[in-house]
Amino acid sequence: MVVKMAGMDDHERKIVIEFCHLLEKSKQLFNGLRDLPQYGHKQWQAYFGRTFDIYTKLWKFQQQHRQILDTKYGLKRWQIGEIASKIGQLYYHYYLRTSETNYLNEAYSFYAAIRGRAYYSRAAKEDRSDLMVKKLRYYARFIVVCLLLKKMKLVRDLVTELDKQIVDYTSTYEPDDQLEWSLVLEEIKSFIKADGIVSVLHADSNTIVLSHRLSPLTTPPVEKSTLMNLSLQEILIIGNCNDQVKFSELTMDMFRMLQTLEREPQDEFNHIYDASPAPGRVPFEKSYSLSSTKGGVGYPVVTGCQENGDRPIKRENPHKYLLYKPTFSQVMVFLSSGFKELPTNGALLLYISADGCFTTSKHPEDMGYDLGGVVTSSKKETDHSNKRAMHLKEMHCLHPGDLYPFTRKPFFVIVDSDNSFVFQHIPRYFGQPLVILMSPQDIPSNFQEHQPNGSLFTLFLHSPLTAFCFICNIINVPIHHWERCQSFIDRFVTEASRLFARSRIDPAFLQFFGDDFLRLLLLRYVFCDVVLHLHRSFKGRQLRPRCQPPLPDGDLLEHPSLQHLVLDLAAHLEVRSHFIDSNEMD
């Protein structure tokens, strides 16, 4: 942008020059973010700190000198929107790197302000297609943030607005990327529909949006013992189900699992989220380099860290990596990084939702590699001109044997796949705690058409009552009914926790059981197993989950008190006929 300096006094000239300097510097730093490594803790925090710092100065500067910048520089509203959008992106990416949901709320406040103040409202009048694309990208990013915060009414409004903006864009410019934007729109509509697989209704029949993040109300009780000494610190969430709905780089299973592994943001900070980058509100008021007793909630923290991996002193959530269709080398790099960052008594969780990679070997000898695994990426890297390539194994198949090195530290693995059971043979060479939860490998034919909406096993781990209603063909539940049914689930979880701690059980389970998230996953696994075992449609071992080491049947998975709670829930929902009778129980 060419700025005419003539007709300005010295003061005005200085302001315009300083603004141009800050704007250019902010763009350079922002563009450099994509070159930072996505893994590790130390490598990127200082750079993020500098980037936040320059955007803080830029935002304050344009607020303080708006009149001069309007009249002398020709500052447009869409340019202010562009700065606010970049700050929103910064916060969102900081959330992705730290897993702290409070940064998600900060991203939301900036994106909401752009819409509330209509910063992009005149973008179409500029007659520049690149501005319209920026506006469309802003909508797509805002929708992702709202989805993660479960602001579903706003998501629907934004989708309607995005639809209209895409029509305007395509009719005005007839662009090459018209098809891509139509696909984005279809993806998000399919995603919203799949997420609402069971609706909880108000008395007035409007849908209620429920959060499934961990809260004090959903944290399972536990009788603590000295064995329970591990805490979940690092997580890898991998998604590659080809026919599953997705939006941005999140499949439905990834979307559900990442929420399951986060705590509900604390209410006391709501006043921060509702604020926006208005004149009068200064973003990141507490300089990014400060930390508070709350770990600098709402503001990126660079100092106040422990030596191990430079992480904040108090973290609400375990740190996680989200990998959509990663190559084999990416899986190894991120697993290694999580492994390296583990503090003493820290546990690493690997969650994989992926299509099976099957073997043709008639006589498997090596249980680590001859049984196949799961495909993490569909990228083809083989040279088909080489005839020998036809006999090579799938490059991006993650085999059980690939995980052996990571069993040197406490390792918790969840595999949701139609080839999950091959992971049950991983040996404990190093004597460290190792637990593997495996999804059923098959699903009854009457549920198969719903597979693209997300896996049933992951749904059980995310929201047990939703999964229960789904397999009983219940699609609408009044809220008073839902809450009553939830009390059955709570009683089941409490009883299962008591039995878990008192059963003759592999010590590895108990070492993980002291962590709130891992205990929740283990108890929801038990609920899934008991429910499917009693359900008439799920006959056969392939239709039930497995775990390694095995959990005891008599003391836990087939315990009468747990079975009765499931059947009582079925009776309350008037779906008792879906489950076997007492005299049919083996």
Side-chain angles (χ1 to χ4, degrees), residues 14-203:
K14 277 180 186 172
I15 285 171
V16 170
I17 289 170
E18 177 63 10
F19 179 75
C20 291
H21 165 73
L22 288 171
L23 191 62
E24 185 56 35
K25 184 70 177 167
S26 68
K27 285 177 182 174
Q28 286 173 6
L29 285 168
F30 190 90
N31 292 337
L33 290 172
R34 66 172 67 97
D35 299 324
L36 292 176
Q38 295 294 313
Y39 49 85
H41 294 281
K42 291 181 182 177
Q43 294 95 322
W44 54 266
Q45 280 202 320
Y47 190 97
F48 254 89
R50 289 201 303 278
T51 311
F52 270 109
D53 194 26
I54 203 79
Y55 271 98
T56 304
K57 288 176 183 170
L58 177 63
W59 188 259
K60 281 179 174 179
F61 196 84
Q62 64 83 22
Q63 282 181 329
Q64 290 162 358
H65 304 289
R66 179 76 60 81
Q67 193 171 359
I68 291 172
L69 291 171
D70 281 351
T71 55
K72 303 298 180 183
Y73 174 81
L75 184 66
K76 304 271 200 311
R77 286 187 67 74
W78 66 261
Q79 290 173 299
I80 301 168
E82 189 68 3
I83 297 168
S85 178
K86 289 279 203 305
I87 296 170
Q89 288 176 65
L90 267 179
Y91 271 124
Y92 175 66
H93 285 287
Y94 208 79
Y95 155 73
L96 288 179
R97 286 174 178 271
T98 62
S99 305
E100 297 303 343
T101 38
N102 296 305
Y103 299 130
L104 203 52
N105 284 292
E106 286 292 326
Y108 169 79
S109 73
F110 278 88
Y111 285 146
I114 293 169
R115 181 171 176 258
R117 293 177 196 169
Y119 282 139
Y120 279 125
S121 61
R122 295 181 180 274
K125 295 181 176 63
E126 295 281 332
D127 197 28
R128 283 172 50 189
S129 64
D130 62 318
L131 270 188
M132 281 299 290
V133 171
K134 284 181 178 181
K135 187 175 185 178
L136 298 181
R137 285 177 179 161
Y138 152 72
Y139 269 103
R141 291 181 183 119
F142 193 12
I143 287 168
V144 171
V145 168
C146 290
L147 270 175
L148 288 167
L149 289 170
K150 303 297 281 186
K151 296 180 183 289
M152 299 311 291
K153 183 182 182 303
L154 182 52
V155 166
R156 289 182 173 86
D157 291 346
L158 290 171
V159 170
T160 304
E161 290 172 27
L162 176 60
D163 199 345
K164 182 179 177 299
Q165 297 293 337
I166 290 172
V167 169
D168 289 351
Y169 170 60
T170 53
S171 61
T172 306
Y173 298 105
E174 297 181 0
D176 295 338
D177 58 356
Q178 181 173 343
L179 194 62
E180 288 168 41
W181 281 110
S182 299
L183 189 62
V184 167
L185 198 62
E186 284 313 304
E187 274 188 356
I188 182 58
K189 286 178 178 176
S190 301
F191 198 91
I192 295 167
K193 187 179 176 186
D195 189 38
I197 200 163
V198 174
S199 298
V200 182
L201 305 176
H202 261 306

Side-chain angles (χ1 to χ4, degrees), residues 506-525:
D506 191 290
F509 285 110
L510 295 178
Q511 285 177 272
F512 289 121
F513 205 65
D515 181 87
D516 291 347
F517 291 107
L518 298 179
R519 183 167 68 258
L520 185 78
L521 291 170
L522 285 167
L523 295 173
R524 286 179 175 176
Y525 170 88

Side-chain angles (χ1 to χ4, degrees), residues 175-457:
D176 295 338
D177 58 356
Q178 181 173 343
L179 194 62
E180 288 168 41
W181 281 110
S182 299
L183 189 62
V184 167
L185 198 62
E186 284 313 304
E187 274 188 356
I188 182 58
K189 286 178 178 176
S190 301
F191 198 91
I192 295 167
K193 187 179 176 186
D195 189 38
I197 200 163
V198 174
S199 298
V200 182
L201 305 176
H202 261 306
D204 59 6
S205 295
N206 282 330
T207 304
I208 299 171
V209 178
L210 300 173
S211 172
H212 297 292
R213 287 185 169 91
L214 189 68
S215 72
L217 290 175
T218 55
T219 304
V222 62
E223 297 172 16
K224 286 277 188 181
S225 78
T226 51
L227 261 180
M228 300 176 190
N229 59 349
L230 297 174
S231 70
L232 180 58
Q233 293 290 324
E234 295 286 334
I235 300 168
L236 243 78
I237 293 177
I238 294 173
N240 181 33
C241 289
N242 270 334
D243 65 346
Q244 192 172 112
V245 294
K246 48 82 76 172
F247 180 58
S248 187
E249 292 203 328
L250 285 176
T251 64
M252 182 56 74
D253 283 352
M254 293 172 73
F255 176 67
R256 285 174 175 156
M257 188 49 63
L258 79 87
Q259 291 173 77
T260 306
L261 294 167
E262 290 178 349
R263 293 184 190 278
E264 201 63 62
Q266 295 175 30
D267 285 338
E268 66 192 87
F269 300 116
N270 276 347
H271 66 282
I272 297 176
Y273 316 151
D274 293 337
S276 58
R281 184 222 178 185
V282 182
F284 354 109
E285 212 152 35
K286 306 175 185 177
S287 154
Y288 72 83
S289 62
L290 296 179
S291 64
S292 69
T293 53
K294 294 287 183 190
V297 171
Y299 307 95
V301 179
V302 176
T303 60
C305 300
Q306 297 173 350
E307 284 180 22
N308 189 308
D310 266 357
R311 54 179 87 225
I313 289 166
K314 180 178 184 289
R315 275 218 327 253
E316 288 297 314
N317 296 316
H319 174 258
K320 59 185 174 299
Y321 297 113
L322 303 173
L323 302 181
Y324 173 67
K325 293 184 179 290
T327 61
F328 174 76
S329 56
Q330 286 174 320
V331 173
M332 289 294 107
V333 165
F334 282 87
L335 258 180
S336 300
S337 178
F339 179 88
K340 177 176 176 253
E341 300 287 347
L342 276 187
T344 309
N345 291 335
L348 172 65
L349 167 64
L350 171 64
Y351 166 85
I352 309 170
S353 159
D355 298 322
C357 175
F358 298 94
T359 182
T360 52
S361 173
K362 297 274 192 300
H363 306 288
E365 293 173 12
D366 182 347
M367 303 303 254
Y369 288 95
D370 289 352
L371 298 175
V374 293
V375 185
T376 62
S377 175
S378 47
K379 285 186 182 170
K380 295 290 177 213
E381 295 180 23
T382 5
D383 177 8
H384 288 293
S385 61
N386 179 350
K387 290 181 181 176
R388 283 185 64 248
M390 305 308 287
H391 302 289
L392 295 178
K393 289 185 177 178
E394 167 62 50
M395 157 91 78
H396 302 299
C397 175
L398 187 71
H399 294 269
D402 295 325
L403 302 181
Y404 290 4
F406 303 101
T407 63
R408 286 173 168 84
K409 291 184 180 180
F411 199 18
F412 196 103
V413 181
I414 302 172
V415 185
D416 196 335
S417 172
D418 50 359
N419 197 29
S420 60
F421 293 173
V422 301
F423 286 84
Q424 68 190 315
H425 304 293
I426 297 177
R428 283 162 67 173
Y429 285 133
F430 305 99
Q432 289 284 355
L434 172 67
V435 163
I436 302 151
L437 305 183
M438 296 157 278
S439 71
Q441 290 199 148
D442 206 351
I443 193 164
S445 55
N446 50 321
F447 295 112
Q448 282 176 355
E449 67 182 272
H450 296 286
Q451 280 288 79
N453 296 335
S455 154
L456 179 62
F457 183 61

Side-chain angles (χ1 to χ4, degrees), residues 481-550:
H481 215 35
W482 177 271
E483 287 173 346
R484 179 84 182 90
C485 293
Q486 192 58 55
S487 71
F488 284 92
I489 305 276
D490 294 342
R491 277 159 57 197
F492 181 100
V493 164
T494 302
E495 176 64 6
S497 181
R498 187 184 70 80
L499 293 171
F500 215 101
R502 297 181 182 186
S503 298
R504 286 161 296 185
I505 210 165
D506 191 290
F509 285 110
L510 295 178
Q511 285 177 272
F512 289 121
F513 205 65
D515 181 87
D516 291 347
F517 291 107
L518 298 179
R519 183 167 68 258
L520 185 78
L521 291 170
L522 285 167
L523 295 173
R524 286 179 175 176
Y525 170 88
V526 172
F527 180 76
C528 175
D529 189 278
V530 174
V531 168
L532 297 188
H533 194 191
L534 296 174
H535 198 286
R536 291 184 186 278
S537 297
F538 291 81
K539 290 294 162 204
R541 201 64 195 89
Q542 297 286 95
L543 298 172
R544 285 172 56 200
R546 284 189 190 180
C547 66
Q548 188 60 35

